[in-house]
């Protein structure tokens, strides 16, 4: 074998352009062959490749069993009960109660998919190099039963939700006014809460505590509404005979009880009392139809509307819709009645006073009384009287305001023209 001396080696030839190209080609071939061999080795191994992380923590080099253990341990750290607080009360929903489970198998499959997803070794090699340079992150997710969560949230809501309670007024034995505060209701929006928990539960970023903020339900009659009320500013009583007609009066009177009319509001008798029907408990009793005495369901209710009419006049409220009967009524003075009929004739009044008024009704010993409670200061010390001019068949009604015995305001209300009732025997 012929030996070659170093000093005889042709370095100039080697360092020529062609020589450098040859060396570079050899180097590339060497690196490529090495990378190919490494890629083939990694792809066929059972370890997570370099650069793969789980939620920011390096997990490269872990075996499949080690990766499974890692994600199970991670799930144990991240899965915890849902804790809610409302005031000084706490509520809890355990993971088992909503079937919350980590997707460990999916996370493991994803971790091992990097650098192995292609049938091409070259493609896998490129993926491995990118993974080593840029990294890949695996996020552990979870699944849960939305129906179970909704059921648990509704169970919590049942312990929080409450209906509002109206403020109200009562009369004491001395005729004084007692006032009782209203209660604000609560309603928890479980649908919104459930939607807000989808991401935290599926990503296993479960919050330490969820503060519940149920919606306030303001009562129809608030404490502020009744606060200024301090006295009876108007009341009126009428008498009736017991029986079916008296039962109808009691039903309608009860419908008027505990009603508030705030400043600027218009009160409708028909809307408040509702339809006079058998299903509502009303009975057949005497009425006037087309100028003749008759029998119909709800007979006697006009006495309630007429009693209310007189009470609101004495309280300084403003009648806006009022119709007289065909003939004078027996339970009120001429010109001071207010007839009503389902869907046809209504009685309405408006509260033009600075504060709310509150209606109370009483039926006792065949006497119906309507009380209008309000702020005494709203009448400015006036004493209101209802006065009549003219005959019983054609009365003119005035509302007169007195102070210290002197007239300070004289208000004309209306003039009615009545007719004689037709005999009952002429009914057809």
């Amino acid at each position: 074998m012929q030996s070659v001396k170093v000093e005889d080696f042709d370095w100039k030839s080697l360092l020529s352009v062609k020589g450098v190209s040859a060396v570079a080609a050899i180097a590339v071939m060497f690196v490529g062959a090495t990378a190919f061999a490494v890629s083939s080795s990694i792809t066929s191994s059972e370890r997570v490749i370099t650069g793969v992380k789980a939620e920011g923590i390096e997990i490269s080099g872990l075996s499949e069993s080690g990766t499974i253990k890692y994600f199970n341990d991670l799930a144990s750290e991240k899965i915890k009960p849902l804790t809610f607080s409302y005031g000084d009360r706490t509520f809890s929903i355990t993971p088992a109660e909503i079937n919350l489970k980590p997707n460990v198998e999916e996370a493991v499959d994803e971790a091992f998919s990097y650098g192995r997803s292609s049938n091409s070794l070259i493609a896998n090699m490129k993926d491995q190099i990118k993974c080593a340079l840029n990294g890949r992150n695996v996020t552990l997710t979870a699944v849960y039963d939305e129906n179970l969560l909704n059921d648990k949230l509704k169970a919590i809501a049942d312990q929080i939700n409450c209906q509002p309670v109206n403020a109200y007024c009562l009369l004491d034995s001395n005729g004084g006014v007692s006032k009782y505060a209203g209660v604000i209701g609560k309603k928890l929006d479980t649908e919104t809460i459930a939607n807000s928990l989808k991401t935290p539960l599926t990503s296993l970023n479960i919050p330490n505590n969820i503060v519940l903020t149920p919606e306030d339900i303001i009562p129809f009659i608030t404490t502020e509404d009744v606060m200024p009320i301090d006295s009876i500013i108007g009341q009126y009583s009428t008498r009736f005979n017991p029986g079916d007609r008296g039962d109808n009066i009691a039903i309608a009177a009860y419908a008027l009880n505990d009603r508030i009319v705030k400043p600027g509001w218009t009160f409708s008798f028909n809307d408040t009392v509702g339809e006079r029907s058998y299903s509502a408990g009303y009975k057949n009793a005497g009425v006037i139809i087309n100028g003749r005495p008759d029998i119909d369901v709800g007979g006697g209710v006009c006495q309630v509307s007429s009693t209310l009419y007189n009470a609101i006049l004495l309280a300084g409220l403003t009648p806006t819709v009022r119709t007289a009967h065909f003939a004078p009524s027996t339970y009120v003075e001429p010109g001071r009645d207010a007839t009503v009929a389902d869907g046809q004739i209504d009685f309405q009044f408006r509260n033009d006073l600075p504060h709310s008024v509150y209606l109370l009704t009483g039926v006792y010993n065949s006497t119906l009384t309507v009380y209008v409670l309000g702020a005494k200061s709203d009448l400015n010390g006036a004493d209101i009287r209802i006065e009549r001019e003219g005959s019983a068949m054609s009365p003119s009604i005035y509302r007169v305001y007195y102070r210290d015995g002197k007239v300070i305001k004289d208000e004309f209300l209306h003039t009615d023209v009545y007719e004689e009732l037709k005999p009952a025997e002429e009914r057809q």
Side-chain angles (χ1 to χ4, degrees):
M1 182 175 179
Q2 185 179 0
S3 61
V4 179
K5 294 181 179 181
V6 175
E7 56 269 22
D8 294 333
F9 194 84
D10 189 359
W11 289 100
K12 292 183 179 180
S13 176
L14 180 63
L15 296 175
S16 66
V17 174
K18 291 183 178 180
V20 171
S21 298
V23 172
I26 293 171
V28 169
M29 290 176 62
F30 176 78
V31 172
T34 302
F36 185 86
V38 171
S39 175
S40 177
S41 174
I42 292 176
T43 301
S44 61
S45 71
E46 297 180 354
R47 301 283 176 175
V48 178
I49 68 171
T50 300
V52 178
K53 299 179 180 181
E55 306 203 10
I57 305 299
E58 187 80 31
I59 60 171
S60 59
L62 289 179
S63 65
E64 182 177 4
S65 61
T67 308
I68 293 173
K69 181 179 183 304
Y70 177 85
F71 281 113
N72 278 325
D73 291 344
L74 182 61
S76 298
E77 294 176 7
K78 295 172 73 69
I79 292 180
K80 57 185 177 181
L82 285 166
T83 303
F84 305 87
S85 63
Y86 174 62
D88 58 355
R89 303 164 66 185
T90 58
F91 308 91
S92 181
I93 299 176
T94 67
E97 288 176 324
I98 58 174
N99 202 21
L100 178 63
K101 294 181 178 179
N103 294 319
V104 171
E105 185 177 348
E106 291 182 10
V108 172
D109 289 344
E110 182 183 351
F112 274 86
S113 70
Y114 297 124
R116 297 181 172 87
S117 60
S118 176
N119 292 326
S120 168
L121 291 178
I122 294 176
N124 286 337
M125 179 183 68
K126 291 180 180 179
D127 191 28
Q128 291 160 16
I129 293 172
K130 290 180 181 179
C131 186
L133 293 175
N134 302 322
R136 299 288 172 83
N137 190 61
V138 180
T139 300
L140 180 63
T141 61
V143 293
Y144 66 98
D145 191 318
E146 293 186 11
N147 291 328
L148 290 177
L149 176 62
N150 290 334
D151 291 342
K152 292 299 178 181
L153 290 175
K154 289 177 181 177
I156 293 174
D158 288 342
Q159 301 178 63
I160 294 175
N161 292 348
C162 60
Q163 293 298 317
V165 178
N166 284 331
Y168 64 99
C169 300
L170 290 177
L171 292 176
D172 58 35
S173 57
N174 297 320
V177 176
S178 298
K179 293 168 286 189
Y180 298 86
V183 177
I184 296 175
K186 299 291 180 181
K187 183 179 181 181
L188 191 64
D189 186 352
T190 58
E191 182 177 352
T192 297
I193 296 173
N195 289 334
S196 71
L197 289 173
K198 285 183 179 180
T199 299
L201 287 172
T202 55
S203 65
L204 289 179
N205 290 313
I206 300 173
N208 292 326
N209 180 58
I210 301 163
V211 178
L212 299 176
T213 55
E215 174 191 359
D216 286 345
I217 305 176
I218 305 301
F220 183 75
I221 304 175
T222 67
T223 303
E224 292 72 21
D225 290 331
V226 301
M227 283 300 294
I229 297 173
D230 56 15
S231 61
I232 300 171
I233 60 173
Q235 74 177 80
Y236 196 78
S237 298
T238 58
R239 292 191 57 81
F240 60 88
N241 293 322
D244 290 345
R245 186 175 183 280
D247 292 343
N248 291 339
I249 288 173
I251 294 173
Y254 180 77
L256 294 180
N257 195 48
D258 289 320
R259 300 288 182 168
I260 197 163
V261 187
K262 300 182 183 182
W265 284 17
T266 295
F267 179 93
S268 165
F269 183 89
N270 282 347
D271 288 349
T272 303
V273 172
E275 183 181 2
R276 278 72 84 183
S277 62
Y278 296 117
S279 61
Y282 288 96
K283 303 174 181 178
N284 285 330
V287 296
I288 297 175
I289 301 177
N290 295 326
R292 297 183 177 89
D294 209 331
I295 300 295
D296 197 9
V297 62
V301 172
C302 288
Q303 182 166 343
V304 181
S305 57
S306 296
T307 306
L308 174 63
Y309 175 50
N310 282 268
I312 68 101
L313 288 180
L314 294 170
L317 302 173
T318 306
T320 56
V321 176
R322 175 261 174 190
T323 303
H325 284 83
F326 180 85
S329 300
T330 58
Y331 44 79
V332 292
E333 295 182 14
R336 296 175 65 170
D337 57 319
T339 187
V340 290
D342 281 344
Q344 302 176 56
I345 305 173
D346 196 9
F347 166 61
Q348 299 179 12
F349 68 88
R350 186 177 63 245
N351 178 11
D352 291 328
L353 300 176
H355 299 98
S356 298
V357 296
Y358 191 89
L359 302 181
L360 287 177
T361 57
V363 178
Y364 182 72
N365 284 342
S366 299
T367 298
L368 164 66
T369 302
V370 175
Y371 303 91
V372 181
L373 311 184
K376 187 176 182 179
S377 60
D378 286 352
L379 298 183
N380 296 316
D383 176 30
I384 300 176
R385 304 175 193 175
I386 308 302
E387 300 180 1
R388 186 188 84 189
E389 291 183 354
S391 67
M393 298 301 290
S394 184
S396 294
I397 303 300
Y398 295 83
R399 177 161 55 180
V400 184
Y401 293 73
Y402 290 86
R403 185 184 296 130
D404 299 328
K406 297 180 180 180
V407 175
I408 58 174
K409 182 179 178 181
D410 190 348
E411 178 184 5
F412 170 75
L413 296 176
H414 54 76
T415 297
D416 294 331
V417 177
Y418 295 113
E419 299 183 29
E420 296 288 345
L421 280 178
K422 300 176 183 179
E425 58 266 19
E426 293 184 14
R427 288 179 294 163
Q428 297 180 0

